[in-house]
Amino acid sequence: MNPFHSLLIAGLLCTTAASAQRSETLLKTHWQFHRGEALGAEAAEYNSKAWQAVSIPHDWAITGPFSRNNYLQRVAVTQNGETEASEKTGRTGGLPYAGVGWYRTTFAADTAGRTTLLFDGAMSEAQVFVNGRKAAFWPYGYNSFFVDITPYLNPNGQANVLAVRLENRPQSARWYPGAGLYRNVRLIHTNRIHVPVWGTQVLTPHVAADYASVELRLSVEGGEGMPLRIATTIFDDNNHIVLTRENTQTTMHGQPFVQHFTIEHPRLWSPETPQQYRAVSRIYTADGQLQDTYTTRFGIRSLEFVPDKGFFLNGQQRKFQGVCNHHDLGPLGAAVNRSALIHQLRLLKDMGCDAIRTSHNMPAPELVELCDSLGFMMMIEPFDEWDVAKCENGYHRFFADWAEKDIVNMVRHYRNNPSVVLWSIGNEVPTQCSPNGYAVARRLQDICHREDPTRKVTCGIDQWDCVLTNGFAAMIDIPGYNYRAHRYQEGYEGLPQGYVLGSETASTVSSRGVYKFPVVKADGKMHPDKQSSSYDLEACWWSNIPDWDFANADDQPWTLGQFVWTGFDYLGEPTPYDTNAWPAHSSYFGIIDLASLPKDRYYLYRSVWNKQASTLHVLPHWTWPGREGQTTPVFVYTNYPEAELFVNGKSQGHLRKADAPKSAPRRTLPEDYKDVEKRYRLMWNDVVYEPGELRVVAYNDRGEQVAEKVVRTAGKPHHLELVRADNEALRANAEDVAYYTVRVVDKDGNLCPADNRLVRFKVSGNARFKATTNGDPTCLDAFQEPQMHLFSGMCTVIVQTTNKAGAFTLEAAAAGLQPARATGKSQ
Ligand code: GAL
């Protein structure tokens, strides 16, 4: 039997705090894992000594190895207009995610009071056994669920055995889902009288600059019909007491205990001012005994969707500058990691992104908490399919019995988080066109409204021919357009809501640092090397280049903004190389690649979205041996209206961004967007390549030179560079990770953009090598081997702290180059 866990008190978590009456323990270490079936492993006495020791979050499949045959799918993707089945190689990342996995651990629990296990997410079809008895089943791998395990505990403080059986079916996903206990497991102990998991709800019925009215509803289990006294103190972000309130009420029939507060001059939450409050509620019985202390984090902000005028946050009109993301963290897989999420969010923030759609499933609580504190609005979405299948073994198998339970958990979990501004009920569900589509959608929207009357509901819709006429789109609070940017007008004019949302946009494809000639706008373009051009003119037949979506946001007040597909590249769905195109196995859609390295497109979005910083970005690189004398267009992404380009000192002319139309144009055809990129990019299409220097000089509206950028032809590869890509303080918790960017450069520090040699890593001191990747969707190098081929001269290496604080050294070496070294420390 394992030793007991050393109980880690989790400290202040999203909604709960440790206190004398309540404790929350993250069950992270001392787990044993077995890949495959293990008959009888639920039994307390089962001997799992030989199993692999793991800590969670854990993703059993991310270690690969990659294979074309890992859950190959032979399907027709009807959403993409396919009518005949074909081999979809790499659709789920070429990783061995399917099969059974078992986890076992032991824990100590006090048998007085109540003990609850809360799983943030278990992939998938989780069966939970406590001391050999089945305590829970939860099929959907993305959702959080909890179970009261008090009846299953051993008496007198004896050790308890927790066993979890998970199973991922083949053909159950359209992308890499991850596998295992990939999110945290929490052991919560309370008194018999207690606030249950997600047991509070905060409403803000009045929000204005002078005051906000706050209503706190507390469910108290075990206290039904008893007079209870609740003393709540509200703290601001600086830990200052804002208000206190004490009431005595007797609640019955499952009604919550309600307290009202008036907060003068509230600090309103927004992406720019992510200020929150904390309500700490102490619950006493009539005899004065403290029964529970429960902390509810919340924010105060108002949301309005106004016909013809759009979206208003705290009374200010704005457009969503959002991205869709899948949940995987590239080389870290699906295993949630807070510091990796912070790194992602900081990159998005700098791009000017202010919103995230958790496509197409429930997020990890860590992500929601970080969106609250770093300032991102969220659209949380539960499903990619309802009752009609997209994947043979997808969620449709569970929909009838589980959809309501899944939505209830999602909404209750996140309805107090200020970042969450919209619920989505699904993505491109085939049900949208079935005769009962309206009724299914109505039911799901009603569940959201019942559980949370404060937020509107949307749905990512793609079948506009049927939803415009079958009542589906007219019923959804907010019609969500997936692509079809040229059909927004039709929806605005033909639907009752008075606004439309770009729930999923762009699906432009590119590979970092790869440029294709001649430079042409194309849909579904495939190149022999299975890369897509970074001139950002290649999209899918159903999608468009980013410029269309910018124009819709800029020109039409009734558009609510957009969520770009996608912020980050993800494992699986390597469109346009998805059919018999192995080794392509990760996406090309990301604005940022799988190695968390920005592609050129990052700067295009930044130049439009980030109004605080200036952007002046030049592409392509200027090292083209063999292209001498050939046309090599140069694009500049900048927030400045005008620039002049020089090649080796020779002017290539001034260019100015095309003006916006004087009045809002009606756009109903793809042709209406012809040349729209001239409004958002400066493009010198006739530049002839000669080695040397590209220089771009930017001008402001007064014609003053305001910025300059130079790109030089690289000489011979000379040395490696190793630069920390994030700057978060590292905690010695065996979890925090640091990202380092590796570059091969010439003797003057110019990137050698065609160098793809192998680099080896070594970490010494108080950290360990965690993972590496280069962002090449066709590269099969294992993420967990301390070596990686460069891609376009770069890659990323991720280092993880240990439990011991102190310094560490990371070294990178490659044949023929001077090595690089970086040092860091954890606290
Ligand atoms: C959408 C879908 C996404 C992704 C994307 C690729 O239709 O909602 O999940 O598949 O297409 O363009």
Side-chain angles (χ1 to χ4, degrees):
M1 186 130 327
N2 287 335
F4 282 2
H5 283 276
S6 50
L7 294 186
L8 291 168
I9 300 301
L12 280 184
L13 290 163
C14 185
T15 53
T16 57
S19 74
Q21 309 75 35
R22 163 182 290 274
S23 68
E24 179 163 320
T25 308
L26 290 178
L27 300 182
K28 279 187 171 294
T29 53
H30 303 298
W31 286 87
Q32 292 169 318
F33 168 66
H34 173 74
R35 176 91 165 79
E37 190 56 281
L39 291 177
E42 70 278 16
E45 56 283 357
Y46 184 89
N47 185 346
S48 53
K49 269 201 194 112
W51 288 10
Q52 185 190 347
V54 296
S55 56
I56 62 168
H58 174 245
D59 177 350
W60 83 54
I62 192 62
T63 44
F66 291 111
S67 163
R68 182 187 192 281
N69 298 325
N70 274 333
Y71 309 108
L72 196 61
Q73 297 190 5
R74 194 176 163 75
V75 285
V77 182
T78 49
Q79 295 81 46
N80 296 358
E82 296 177 3
T83 50
E84 280 179 24
S86 56
E87 274 199 343
K88 295 291 176 302
T89 45
R91 193 178 196 207
T92 51
L95 287 164
Y97 77 91
V100 173
W102 277 91
Y103 292 82
R104 282 169 57 95
T105 191
T106 57
F107 63 92
D110 185 348
T111 39
R114 308 303 300 180
T115 301
T116 302
L117 274 176
L118 168 59
F119 290 81
D120 289 350
M123 190 63 77
S124 59
E125 303 191 32
Q127 299 184 40
V128 178
F129 302 90
V130 176
N131 297 323
R133 291 163 68 195
K134 187 156 175 181
F137 169 63
W138 200 277
Y140 200 33
Y142 293 105
N143 211 354
S144 302
F145 63 95
F146 61 94
V147 52
D148 180 349
I149 56 165
T150 315
Y152 311 106
L153 295 177
N154 283 330
N156 312 324
Q158 289 171 48
N160 298 286
V161 178
L162 169 62
V164 183
R165 182 190 186 274
L166 300 171
E167 180 168 10
N168 282 341
R169 311 266 166 140
Q171 320 291 323
S172 59
R174 291 197 300 122
W175 56 84
Y176 175 67
L181 289 177
Y182 72 114
R183 290 180 180 165
N184 280 304
V185 179
R186 300 158 197 268
L187 182 72
I188 301 168
H189 187 76
T190 63
N191 279 2
R192 193 180 58 79
I193 296 175
H194 68 283
V195 177
V197 171
W198 315 321
T200 59
Q201 182 174 16
V202 177
L203 306 175
T204 51
H206 178 80
V207 176
D210 51 349
Y211 72 92
S213 174
V214 175
E215 178 178 329
L216 173 63
R217 300 179 179 176
L218 295 112
S219 298
V220 183
E221 267 177 17
E224 177 90 1
M226 296 165 62
L228 295 175
R229 180 164 59 89
I230 300 193
T232 295
T233 305
I234 294 184
F235 296 87
D236 68 16
D237 267 344
N238 300 323
N239 232 6
H240 293 144
I241 293 179
V242 178
L243 272 179
T244 58
R245 166 143 293 203
E246 200 169 316
N247 306 84
T248 300
Q249 288 170 24
T250 303
T251 61
M252 279 178 286
H253 313 298
Q255 295 286 329
F257 192 111
V258 179
Q259 293 185 311
H260 297 280
F261 305 85
T262 302
I263 298 186
E264 307 287 340
H265 304 293
R267 297 149 62 100
L268 300 185
W269 185 95
S270 74
E272 296 71 35
T273 57
Q275 309 170 114
Q276 294 177 75
Y277 292 90
R278 196 159 48 92
V280 179
S281 306
R282 293 195 161 70
I283 300 162
Y284 300 90
T285 35
D287 57 3
Q289 293 292 313
L290 179 60
Q291 299 295 337
D292 197 2
T293 304
Y294 192 88
T295 299
T296 308
R297 285 188 185 279
F298 65 98
I300 300 174
R301 83 277 181 279
S302 67
L303 307 172
E304 284 169 288
F305 294 87
V306 182
D308 305 325
K309 297 290 179 199
F311 168 55
F312 292 73
L313 177 70
N314 300 328
Q316 304 279 318
Q317 204 232 8
R318 61 192 294 155
K319 309 262 176 174
F320 291 107
Q321 300 184 158
V323 297
C324 305
N325 275 335
H326 273 315
H327 66 310
D328 76 65
L329 292 167
L332 302 178
V336 66
N337 184 291
R338 195 170 175 277
S339 58
L341 288 170
I342 293 176
H343 181 48
Q344 288 201 335
L345 292 174
R346 295 232 188 266
L347 283 167
L348 292 174
K349 192 90 186 170
D350 180 58
M351 187 172 80
C353 170
D354 65 8
I356 288 172
R357 169 185 184 219
T358 67
S359 44
H360 307 295
N361 35 257
M362 297 84 171
E366 289 81 359
L367 177 62
V368 185
E369 195 189 331
L370 287 168
C371 286
D372 286 342
S373 60
L374 298 178
F376 287 88
M377 297 177 283
M378 298 189 88
M379 179 210 295
I380 294 188
E381 176 168 86
F383 306 127
D384 193 47
E385 60 183 54
W386 295 344
D387 50 340
V388 179
K390 274 185 186 171
C391 292
E392 193 183 318
N393 285 320
Y395 186 75
H396 67 96
R397 292 181 296 136
F398 302 110
F399 183 80
D401 295 335
W402 287 89
E404 176 160 5
K405 292 180 220 167
D406 274 318
I407 291 197
V408 165
N409 277 21
M410 171 185 87
V411 175
R412 292 190 183 169
H413 196 171
Y414 297 121
R415 66 187 171 187
N416 295 333
N417 292 85
S419 57
V420 181
V421 298
L422 282 175
W423 305 114
S424 163
I425 49 175
N427 174 62
E428 298 187 357
V429 290
T431 311
Q432 67 197 285
C433 292
S434 49
N436 69 334
Y438 173 91
V440 180
R442 170 101 250 172
R443 178 173 154 251
L444 299 182
Q445 178 166 281
D446 287 350
I447 298 169
C448 293
H449 288 164
R450 180 191 77 206
E451 296 297 320
D452 173 17
T454 73
R455 290 177 180 84
K456 287 199 183 286
V457 171
T458 187
C459 183
I461 302 174
D462 62 326
Q463 302 295 319
W464 283 94
D465 287 335
C466 65
V467 295
L468 282 173
T469 51
N470 70 3
F472 189 103
M475 181 274 297
I476 300 286
D477 291 343
I478 296 183
Y481 271 75
N482 279 15
Y483 313 100
R484 284 69 178 181
H486 60 285
R487 295 187 70 175
Y488 287 10
Q489 187 89 33
E490 188 188 2
Y492 171 60
E493 289 169 6
L495 292 170
Q497 293 89 339
Y499 37 69
V500 302
L501 173 67
S503 44
E504 190 172 313
T505 61
S507 270
T508 298
V509 287
S510 63
S511 306
R512 177 182 48 76
V514 175
Y515 305 90
K516 300 292 181 189
F517 305 98
V519 175
V520 279
K521 242 193 272 183
D523 287 347
K525 181 83 185 161
M526 289 191 256
H527 303 275
D529 60 354
K530 302 195 176 83
Q531 302 294 350
S532 294
S533 179
S534 210
Y535 276 104
D536 299 328
L537 291 172
E538 295 178 1
C540 309
W541 67 259
W542 58 87
S543 70
N544 53 266
I545 56 172
D547 315 69
W548 287 36
D549 306 312
F550 293 143
N552 272 339
D554 285 346
D555 300 344
Q556 317 290 0
W558 43 265
T559 55
L560 304 175
Q562 62 164 323
F563 290 84
V564 179
W565 191 266
T566 48
F568 283 77
D569 272 333
Y570 52 94
L571 293 161
E573 207 181 23
T575 309
Y577 304 104
D578 58 351
T579 304
N580 270 320
W582 188 258
H585 62 277
S586 58
S587 79
Y588 299 73
F589 295 119
I591 297 171
I592 302 169
D593 77 9
L594 204 71
S596 293
L597 297 170
K599 303 179 188 174
D600 290 304
R601 237 182 313 145
Y602 179 89
Y603 301 96
L604 180 58
Y605 284 100
R606 190 179 191 272
S607 69
V608 178
W609 283 357
N610 185 338
K611 304 272 189 283
Q612 267 67 53
S614 50
T615 299
L616 184 59
H617 179 77
V618 188
L619 63 136
H621 62 74
W622 211 237
T623 306
W624 294 105
R627 279 198 71 75
E628 290 79 3
Q630 295 187 51
T631 303
T632 307
V634 174
F635 289 8
V636 166
Y637 298 159
T638 180
N639 57 313
Y640 296 116
E642 189 177 332
E644 183 173 11
L645 177 72
F646 300 87
V647 176
N648 292 335
K650 287 186 296 264
S651 175
Q652 309 293 306
H654 276 257
L655 281 183
R656 200 181 160 78
K657 288 188 199 161
D659 289 335
K662 296 242 166 348
S663 57
R666 276 187 98 253
R667 291 202 193 86
T668 53
L669 294 169
E671 293 86 270
D672 298 333
Y673 294 88
K674 195 168 163 293
D675 292 339
V676 68
E677 60 273 23
K678 290 191 177 153
R679 285 176 61 186
Y680 298 99
R681 323 177 183 201
L682 299 174
M683 297 174 292
W684 285 264
N685 285 318
D686 303 320
V687 179
V688 173
Y689 177 68
E690 58 183 60
E693 181 188 275
L694 268 187
R695 187 160 58 94
V696 63
V697 178
Y699 295 86
N700 64 15
D701 265 328
R702 294 188 298 277
E704 297 157 346
Q705 283 192 14
V706 276
E708 181 178 290
K709 187 80 186 253
V710 174
V711 178
R712 292 194 180 85
T713 304
K716 279 213 306 278
H718 179 264
H719 62 276
L720 288 173
E721 263 181 19
L722 205 47
V723 177
R724 177 97 188 256
D726 66 302
N727 56 8
E728 294 300 309
L730 293 170
R731 297 165 303 168
N733 57 2
E735 273 200 64
D736 279 6
V737 289
Y739 283 70
Y740 288 84
T741 306
V742 183
R743 286 159 45 99
V744 56
V745 295
D746 69 7
K747 66 178 182 10
D748 301 319
N750 298 305
L751 178 74
C752 301
D755 200 296
N756 289 352
R757 77 185 73 200
L758 185 74
V759 181
R760 294 177 204 281
F761 306 109
K762 208 171 109 198
V763 183
S764 48
N766 296 306
R768 64 185 189 104
F769 166 83
K770 175 70 179 171
T772 173
T773 190
N774 59 16
D776 173 0
T778 68
C779 175
L780 298 178
D781 291 1
F783 298 136
Q784 291 78 20
E785 289 295 318
Q787 57 179 39
M788 182 55 54
H789 285 93
L790 298 170
F791 177 56
S792 300
M794 295 167 78
C795 74
T796 289
V797 53
I798 303 172
V799 166
Q800 186 163 51
T801 62
T802 61
N803 278 319
K804 202 160 157 242
F808 62 86
T809 304
L810 166 65
E811 290 164 272
L817 297 178
Q818 286 179 19
R821 202 166 181 272
T823 54
K825 68 171 186 334
S826 64
Q827 283 150 355

